[in-house]
Amino acid sequence: MEQHGEALWSIGELAAATGVTVRALHYYDSIGLLRAGVRTTAGHRRYNEQDLRRLYSIRTLRSLGVPLAEIAAVLDGTGPASLQKLLLRQLAALDDQALQLKQLQRTIRELLERISSHGHAEPAYFMTALERMTMFGNYFTEDQRRELDERRAGLGQEALEESRTEWAGLVEEGLRQVDGGVPAGSPEAMDLVRRWDELGSRFHSSDGTKTAARTMWNENSAELSKALPWTALQLQALLAHLQAAREHS
């Protein structure tokens, strides 16, 4: 639809054209974040080109991790300079994602080569691919990913395999404690969490990567556990047990 030569969209048309749900658009309207700039004589809402640009800015800021409650304040200063800064931030984020994709492509190629040469691939290769896939979800900053890569490279393949075997053993031991009702403040639980954290410190040199890894797991446990011999519920219970033991230390 056009009015005085200006393109206009109904809420349904805008939703279909942009992939933003009608429900989300209604919510944006209710909180004053995005309101239709035009009303027809019958009182129907119509979104104009300025509204479309604002919606783009909203979605871009969301993709950059800006909380919805803060977006309106950010957009209050929107102008050519602000829009340029916004686009540069999004371009940087896309460049970062492109780098992650290249890393994932390289990992998958290595996995395919391993299968072609040996007829199979060790679990470590699948674990690396899973880690790359999850990193693509932007849980780690570029510096944190570089830190993790450097840590893995420093350990070497043999040490990585030994660490994964040790980790699997700690998981089994921890699940036995959970199933057996071992108290979080007991010597057994305290010793388990000490060894668990010592193992983790081989890969994480900062609290930032540890926090990102925990967030990654908490938000993707069901999917990640499909590649592991334990269920998401089992691993969630284990992590809760470990955290309780930390709080007793």
Side-chain angles (χ1 to χ4, degrees):
M1 177 180 175
E2 290 189 4
Q3 178 175 302
H4 305 302
E6 180 183 28
L8 298 176
W9 294 268
S10 69
I11 191 169
E13 290 169 340
L14 187 65
T18 61
V20 179
T21 66
V22 170
R23 181 179 180 182
L25 291 172
H26 277 304
Y27 180 66
Y28 293 164
D29 182 273
S30 70
I31 63 175
L33 186 58
L34 177 67
R35 288 182 173 151
V38 176
R39 288 278 181 171
T40 68
T41 54
H44 299 299
R45 285 175 292 190
R46 292 293 182 267
Y47 294 88
N48 56 26
E49 294 178 11
Q50 183 177 349
D51 299 327
L52 178 61
R53 287 193 292 271
R54 186 175 176 88
L55 177 59
Y56 175 82
S57 297
I58 292 168
R59 300 301 292 174
T60 300
L61 288 168
R62 288 294 289 140
S63 73
L64 294 172
V66 179
L68 199 60
E70 298 178 13
I71 288 178
V74 174
L75 294 180
D76 283 345
T78 296
S82 297
L83 181 58
Q84 183 182 38
K85 184 177 180 180
L86 179 65
L87 290 171
L88 286 171
R89 285 181 64 191
Q90 188 185 33
L91 183 60
L94 290 172
D95 287 341
D96 190 39
Q97 290 179 353
L99 175 62
Q100 293 174 50
L101 276 175
K102 287 180 181 178
Q103 292 173 333
L104 177 57
Q105 287 172 335
R106 184 168 63 250
T107 300
I108 291 175
R109 287 193 185 98
E110 292 172 356
L111 189 56
L112 287 170
E113 290 172 2
R114 194 77 180 176
I115 292 173
S116 295
S117 301
H118 303 277
H120 70 284
E122 291 83 354
Y125 285 88
F126 289 101
M127 290 294 292
T128 300
L130 278 169
E131 290 163 356
R132 294 286 188 199
M133 291 167 68
T134 308
M135 285 181 198
F136 180 68
N138 289 327
Y139 289 96
F140 299 93
T141 66
E142 184 176 352
D143 287 342
Q144 288 171 340
R145 285 192 297 275
R146 188 180 300 112
E147 175 191 327
L148 291 171
D149 284 340
E150 290 173 353
R151 283 273 174 161
R152 290 190 186 90
L155 285 170
Q157 191 60 40
E158 183 177 349
L160 282 174
E161 296 290 349
E162 292 175 354
S163 295
R164 289 190 171 103
T165 300
E166 183 179 349
W167 175 75
L170 290 176
V171 171
E172 292 290 354
E173 181 180 343
L175 290 176
R176 286 194 294 271
Q177 290 190 11
V178 171
D179 292 340
V182 174
S186 67
E188 295 88 349
M190 302 287 279
D191 180 63
L192 174 67
V193 79
R194 177 187 58 78
R195 287 181 286 135
W196 182 281
D197 289 342
E198 284 178 356
L199 177 59
S201 67
R202 298 177 196 171
F203 300 89
H204 304 283
S205 61
S206 67
D207 290 337
T209 57
K210 292 178 183 178
T211 300
R214 286 180 188 137
T215 301
M216 176 187 75
W217 169 259
N218 289 336
E219 296 183 3
N220 300 274
S221 57
E223 188 64 28
L224 291 174
S225 65
K226 291 178 182 178
L228 300 172
W230 312 283
T231 68
L233 288 177
Q234 283 180 304
L235 292 173
Q236 286 167 356
L238 170 59
L239 292 178
H241 177 63
L242 291 168
Q243 184 57 35
R246 287 190 192 94
E247 293 171 358
H248 278 84
S249 62

